[in-house]
Amino acid sequence: MAMVEARDIQKAFGRKKVLSGVSFFIEKGQCVGIAGANGCGKSTLLSVMAGAVRPDGGQILYDGKPAGRQAIYSITGYVPQGNPLLPELSVKDNLRLWFKGRTKEWKVSADSGIVPMLGLDTVWKTAAGKLSGGMKRRLTLACALISHPQFLILDEPGAALDVVCKEEMLQYLRDYMEHGGTMLLASHEEGELALCSRLFIMEEGTVRETDAGLGIRQLASMLNSHGHI
């Protein structure tokens, strides 16, 4: 049985239909990638899967059961493409806001690998609004990961990160999957796509599966041949 399943997900904004019956499933321990041209609906799909946007039709199932927004929230870490941080709050307080564990578990989670790995221990008391773009992205990643969620939804997670931090993030995600973590990832970066067990191309409001071993040039050529770049 699939851990996560999307069935006929539909979403429109006004007269513009963005998702036209998207269906796929993800098994435990898999990373499923979504690739496609800018504006094709990847971010909308991920926000629906994360419970941040309500679909117009279709269902999301976890372990074979229809999942409401609270159920989705309880097991999911979400890194959106935009910035979800509260700028007036410190790094520490933004992390506490997103932390889903018990109070007594906070210190263990805050001292775990993700905070020092991303260098956030050096800006612990700094207001999020005063951070650089790259540090804000690091904090967004940490907010999603600090509760050690069962399911991660990542929308261009490496955006604005330097080369060293990108590699550290990729290693963390490899370890996460080796320990049974499950991911849904939208990306055009070769290192991130290399994490994927399965890969889907998004076009015309739906998805179709393709070879997960495609390199970035092959992927670009495929999209270009369909008139989407």
Side-chain angles (χ1 to χ4, degrees):
M1 181 185 297
M3 178 185 173
V4 183
E5 184 178 358
R7 286 186 183 173
D8 196 31
I9 301 297
Q10 301 174 46
K11 183 65 185 177
F13 296 101
R15 295 183 178 180
K16 183 178 181 181
K17 195 154 191 178
V18 180
L19 304 177
S20 304
V22 175
S23 298
F24 62 93
F25 65 89
I26 312 174
E27 295 181 355
K28 183 176 175 61
Q30 280 190 333
C31 175
V32 165
I34 306 290
N38 291 336
C40 71
K42 300 186 302 296
S43 292
T44 299
L45 174 61
L46 266 60
S47 63
V48 168
M49 296 299 295
V53 170
R54 192 182 300 275
D56 297 329
Q59 277 187 318
I60 299 170
L61 293 87
Y62 282 171
D63 295 327
K65 300 176 182 178
R69 297 177 82 176
Q70 186 57 42
I72 293 171
Y73 175 78
S74 68
I75 71 163
T76 301
Y78 176 39
V79 178
Q81 195 171 51
N83 178 7
L85 306 173
L86 294 182
E88 69 277 10
L89 295 186
S90 67
V91 167
K92 175 183 177 181
D93 288 340
N94 268 281
L95 287 165
R96 285 189 69 91
L97 182 67
W98 288 93
F99 182 65
K100 300 172 187 177
R102 299 176 181 176
T103 302
K104 65 181 181 180
E105 297 169 338
W106 161 252
K107 184 171 178 13
V108 175
S109 293
D111 290 342
S112 68
I114 193 64
V115 172
M117 186 200 83
L118 293 174
L120 294 170
D121 52 337
T122 64
V123 290
W124 197 236
K125 296 182 179 179
T126 304
K130 294 183 179 180
L131 298 175
S132 68
M135 289 301 287
K136 287 177 182 176
R137 194 60 177 167
R138 293 180 188 214
L139 179 54
T140 299
L141 279 166
C143 286
L145 293 167
I146 195 166
S147 298
H148 308 289
Q150 298 175 47
F151 181 41
L152 266 178
I153 298 176
L154 304 166
D155 194 350
E156 306 284 354
L161 296 181
D162 60 52
V163 174
V164 173
C165 190
K166 281 183 182 182
E167 182 51 43
E168 289 173 340
M169 177 198 70
L170 289 173
Q171 186 56 54
Y172 186 94
L173 295 177
R174 292 183 198 106
D175 292 343
Y176 169 83
M177 291 177 64
E178 285 177 6
H179 288 86
T182 304
M183 294 195 298
L184 176 62
L185 167 70
S187 179
H188 288 126
E189 295 206 11
E190 195 151 13
E192 294 171 9
L193 290 174
L195 297 170
C196 298
S197 316
R198 295 163 61 218
L199 180 63
F200 289 83
I201 302 294
M202 183 163 221
E203 54 190 0
E204 298 178 356
T206 189
V207 295
R208 60 183 175 85
E209 190 163 5
T210 189
D211 180 7
L214 286 177
I216 199 67
R217 290 187 178 180
Q218 293 171 295
L219 181 59
S221 177
M222 177 183 294
L223 291 171
N224 188 49
S225 70
H226 283 79
H228 293 285
I229 289 181

